[in-house]
Amino acid sequence: MLLAIDCGNTNTVFSIYDGDDFIATWRTATEWQRTADQYYVWLTSLMRFEKIEADITDVIISSTVPRVVFNLRVFADRYFDTRPMVVGKAGCALPVDVRVDAGTAVGPDRLVNTVAGHDLFGGDLIVVDFGTATTFDVVAADGAYVGGVIAPGVNLSLEALHNAAAALPHVDISQPEHVVGTNTVACMQSGVFWGYVGLVREICARIKAERGRDMRVISTGGLAPLFQQAVDLFDEFRDDLTMHGLTVIYKYNKDLAD
C-alpha cells in the first residue's frame, strides 16, 4: 500500500491508499524537529487505535517545509524499507509540464494540485487552495502549470491583525450575519470574510480576462467550504485534491519504471 504525506507549513497529512481508495487519513502539526521514530510511533498508534491493518510498501512526499523532508525520508527507509518519492526532487517525474520563468522554484503543493486538477477536471483551471497562504494555480488546457498568485492565508491575516493592533482580539473566521459589524469581533470577521470573497472573485476574474477564456475554478483547503456556502465562487470543491494528486504522480512514476 501507498503512504502519501502532504507536509504544509501548518499541518502534515498522512493518508494510506490501497490502490483504489484512501482507507485512513490523519493530520498532525508540522514540526521540523520531529524525528523518524516519533513519526512511526504516532502513525502506528493511530493505526492500532482505528484497527487499520496496512502493509505499507511505498511512500510519496510533498513538502513545502524543506527541513522536515530528511526525517520523513529516514522514517520511510527505516520502518518501511523504501526510498520515498519526493515531489520536486530527482527521481520523481511529473505528468505535466511546468512553464514558468527559468530558475523559479514552484512549491510542490502547487504542482501536486495542478496534477490532481487536470486528472479530475481537465485543463483551463484555476485551483484555489486555502492553506497557510491562499494560492491560485493556473492550469493550461494541456495540464501544464503556467503560474499563479500567492496571497496571505485567511488565518494568517487574522493573526497578523491581532498581533499588530493591541486593541483587536483574536477571532475565528466565520460568515458574519451582516456586512456592517456592530462590535469589534463582528467587524473583524466581516472584513476578513468579505474581503477574501472579493479577493478570490477579483483575482479569478482577472486571470480569466488575461488568459482570454472561460476557466473552471476548483477549491481545496480547510476554509474553502465556508466560502462556498456563502457565495458562488467555485465550480468544484475537493477536500482530498492534494492527496489525489500524490496518487497520480506515484502511479505515473511507477508506470515509467515498468
Side-chain angles (χ1 to χ4, degrees), residues 55-182:
D55 180 18
I56 295 172
T57 57
D58 296 278
V59 178
I60 185 168
I61 301 167
S62 169
S63 177
T64 59
V65 185
R67 297 178 78 181
V68 307
V69 174
F70 174 78
N71 282 330
L72 287 173
R73 284 185 183 272
V74 174
F75 161 72
D77 178 66
R78 179 178 298 167
Y79 291 107
F80 302 114
D81 193 28
T82 184
R83 178 179 176 86
M85 298 180 191
V86 181
V87 178
K89 302 296 184 182
C92 185
L94 296 176
V96 300
D97 289 335
V98 180
R99 302 186 192 125
V100 295
D101 295 343
T104 299
V106 180
D109 55 329
R110 308 183 74 183
L111 299 175
V112 174
N113 285 346
T114 295
V115 170
H118 183 250
D119 182 70
L120 291 169
F121 306 108
D124 284 330
L125 304 176
I126 302 170
V127 180
V128 184
D129 189 349
F130 290 87
T132 304
T134 300
T135 58
F136 300 73
D137 300 320
V138 181
V139 184
D142 63 351
Y145 173 84
V146 293
V149 177
I150 301 175
V154 177
N155 287 319
L156 189 63
S157 295
L158 276 171
E159 193 67 28
L161 194 59
H162 167 65
N163 290 335
L168 297 181
H170 176 80
V171 300
D172 293 324
I173 182 64
S174 65
Q175 182 183 356
E177 294 184 14
H178 307 285
V179 176
V180 179
T182 55

Side-chain angles (χ1 to χ4, degrees), residues 208 214-219 228 232-237:
K208 293 176 184 179
D214 190 31
M215 304 179 73
R216 298 180 74 185
V217 181
I218 314 301
S219 69
Q228 179 63 23
D232 187 19
L233 285 176
F234 313 114
D235 297 302
E236 300 282 350
F237 164 71

Side-chain angles (χ1 to χ4, degrees), residues 85 92-96 115 246-258:
M85 298 180 191
C92 185
L94 296 176
V96 300
V115 170
L246 285 174
T247 67
V248 174
I249 294 170
Y250 166 78
K251 291 175 183 176
Y252 178 74
N253 280 270
K254 281 295 185 181
D255 288 342
L256 288 178
D258 291 342

Side-chain angles (χ1 to χ4, degrees), residues 175-176 178-179 189-199 227 230-231:
Q175 182 183 356
H178 307 285
V179 176
Q189 288 177 331
S190 183
V192 171
F193 181 86
W194 293 113
Y196 269 84
V197 168
L199 179 144
F227 289 95
V231 285

